[in-house]
Amino acid sequence: MRQMPWFGMDIGGTLVKLVYFEPTDNTPDDEKNETETVKIIRHYLKSRSAYGKTGKRDVHLQMECSIKNRRGILHFVRFPTSEMPVFISLARSKGIAQLASTVCATGGGAYKFEKQFSEELNLTLKKFDELASLIHGIHFIERYNPQECFYLQNPMEDEKFRKIPFDFSDSYPFLVVNIGSGVSILAVYSQDKYKRVSGTSLGGGTFVGLCCLLTGCETFEDAIALASSGDSNKVDKLVRDIYGGDYPKFGLTGDTIACSFGHMISKEKRDKVSKADLARATLVTITNNIGSIARMCAVNEGIERVVFTGNFLRVNQISMRLLAYAMDFWSGGTLKALFLEHEGYFGAVGCLLELV
Ligand code: ADP
């Protein structure tokens, strides 16, 4: 294999996640052998944090680590999967085709785009399973970054809620709830022993899709910004809207949601809701549904720690706080919601590790 930058790629339903390992312990010999193309690619990736209109490098996530006895820095880049043709022509213009090499890839797009990579970039995709890569990536990053895993204290109190580091070193068994376009739920018993226990098609993509329909917004970031200023109680029917107060026999307080979007059957209420209220209700509905399925899976599997990952949680404190609260409250304090700083990048990391 000709010299190729160390990449791992996760080509998902919505976003491509590209992880790039930059060795920092090069010997003079390594430097002499480095091809021009590799230098050009490194310079291009490192000299900016935005690529075109939609590509982004998450500079705050970059981290030092060792891979295959090499010290270096991991860089994290993402762009929409819909921009794949732009990415391919950019990679061509940087001379990737001359390397005639192999890149490790995971996610559905590793299959969908395989032919294009081969024909247009002269690149062979070495394909890896996305859930195996996800678990591999979680184990690796968590080992290097003591601050990786955290939970939320007082999640429902605006002033008092805090991110607290969680020691994940003795973590088995745990559940992984990966919220991407859709949702996969895995039970993990050891480094190599895990199974997919459930999933739901109502995921991050559903949130964005419904928000676009209901509010006319165009992007995930806009949908989250709208949701931040909205009030879902104007959209959802609560227990108190039906009972006039609590339903104490089964411990349901008046502010529990009884029917998501339940107010929207009334024209009068529909006329009063704002786009922000609708975005918030959509976010709350999707998040609570995922929380509820995750909780059932945890109970079924007899697992107490639930790790939420995936890019749905990017810049999305509302959902993290809701999940943290819901896990704790509905389990009577036995379940703990955990989160990871590198959110949606674990599949790409796990896949990069397969290269070596
Ligand atoms: P996938 O592998 O299915 O693409 P991800 O883990 O990358 O899954 O998560 C995709 C989800 O992340 C989207 O459905 C959306 O809810 C959310 N998301 C976060 N940031 C963005 C973004 N910049 N563009 C689109 N979706 C985003």
Side-chain angles (χ1 to χ4, degrees):
M1 186 167 96
R2 297 272 287 281
Q3 193 191 20
M4 177 73 190
W6 297 22
F7 285 130
M9 209 174 193
D10 177 3
I11 312 174
T14 306
L15 293 173
V16 177
K17 282 74 64 179
L18 181 70
V19 174
Y20 163 53
F21 179 71
E22 177 198 9
T24 49
D25 56 0
N26 285 338
T27 62
D29 261 0
D30 291 331
E31 267 161 38
K32 212 169 66 207
N33 290 334
E34 200 174 60
T35 63
E36 256 333 284
T37 306
V38 171
K39 281 187 197 144
I40 290 170
I41 291 168
R42 185 181 57 234
H43 176 75
Y44 178 73
L45 283 173
K46 281 187 61 190
S47 61
R48 64 208 79 198
S49 59
Y51 313 93
K53 284 201 190 78
T54 52
K56 297 275 177 316
R57 181 157 62 95
D58 284 310
V59 181
H60 66 288
L61 293 180
Q62 93 182 33
M63 60 184 261
E64 283 184 25
C65 64
S66 291
I67 299 180
K68 204 185 172 189
N69 290 327
R70 297 292 306 271
R71 289 296 304 167
I73 298 174
L74 271 184
H75 299 276
F76 298 88
V77 174
R78 62 185 151 86
F79 61 88
T81 308
S82 56
E83 297 290 306
M84 196 50 120
V86 180
F87 172 79
I88 288 180
S89 56
L90 181 76
R92 236 183 117 79
S93 76
K94 303 286 170 202
I96 289 257
Q98 282 125 50
L99 296 175
S101 192
T102 300
V103 168
C104 292
T106 188
Y111 296 83
K112 185 172 166 185
F113 295 104
E114 187 176 18
K115 198 157 161 251
Q116 255 172 296
F117 269 81
S118 156
E119 288 176 358
E120 294 174 40
L121 289 178
N122 208 6
L123 274 186
T124 307
L125 292 189
K126 200 157 185 254
K127 300 189 288 303
F128 292 96
D129 175 70
E130 61 179 296
L131 298 180
S133 301
L134 170 72
I135 300 297
H136 196 173
I138 291 177
H139 280 122
F140 178 82
I141 298 260
E142 192 281 320
R143 218 167 39 237
Y144 270 100
N145 187 6
Q147 303 288 317
E148 183 67 28
C149 185
F150 63 91
Y151 67 96
L152 299 180
Q153 202 174 52
N154 307 318
M156 282 307 154
E157 296 177 51
D158 287 344
E159 247 89 278
K160 274 175 51 190
F161 94 93
R162 297 268 175 285
K163 249 166 98 167
I164 313 278
F166 182 83
D167 178 5
F168 202 61
S169 50
D170 182 24
S171 52
Y172 302 116
F174 60 89
L175 214 63
V176 175
V177 181
N178 189 47
I179 318 177
S181 311
V183 183
S184 273
I185 303 182
L186 303 147
V188 184
Y189 299 97
S190 72
Q191 180 101 12
D192 310 307
K193 192 164 169 252
Y194 58 86
K195 60 179 182 182
R196 185 179 189 276
V197 289
S198 189
T200 166
S201 64
L202 306 185
T206 318
F207 162 64
V208 183
L210 287 177
C211 261
C212 292
L213 283 172
L214 289 171
T215 72
C217 74
E218 297 276 348
T219 66
F220 172 77
E221 282 81 2
D222 289 350
I224 290 288
L226 261 179
S228 309
S229 60
D231 178 1
S232 55
N233 290 349
K234 300 224 170 83
V235 180
D236 296 337
K237 203 171 264 188
L238 307 183
V239 166
R240 70 162 173 264
D241 297 319
I242 301 169
Y243 275 75
D246 300 341
Y247 178 15
K249 185 171 175 196
F250 294 105
L252 297 173
T253 60
D255 57 6
T256 310
I257 301 167
C259 173
S260 300
F261 282 79
H263 280 323
M264 297 298 89
I265 56 171
S266 143
K267 171 151 188 354
E268 196 191 329
K269 293 236 160 63
R270 278 201 301 275
D271 290 342
K272 282 193 195 140
V273 292
S274 67
K275 289 180 173 183
D277 298 335
L278 289 167
R280 179 66 162 238
T282 309
L283 188 60
V284 170
T285 300
I286 294 295
T287 304
N288 281 341
N289 185 57
I290 294 168
S292 161
I293 294 170
R295 197 170 46 82
M296 286 189 280
C297 291
V299 171
N300 266 348
E301 300 299 320
I303 291 177
E304 289 178 356
R305 283 167 292 247
V306 184
V307 183
F308 291 93
T309 60
N311 278 321
F312 174 64
L313 297 176
R314 245 196 83 241
V315 296
N316 182 4
Q317 225 172 57
I318 299 172
S319 293
M320 279 198 203
R321 291 171 63 182
L322 270 176
L323 288 168
Y325 173 77
M327 284 292 145
D328 183 64
F329 181 81
W330 294 107
S331 72
T334 56
L335 291 181
K336 195 164 202 70
L338 300 169
F339 304 94
L340 300 175
E341 293 287 354
H342 286 81
E343 285 151 354
Y345 281 111
F346 298 102
V349 172
C351 182
L352 163 75
L353 298 173
E354 301 289 354
L355 173 75
V356 285

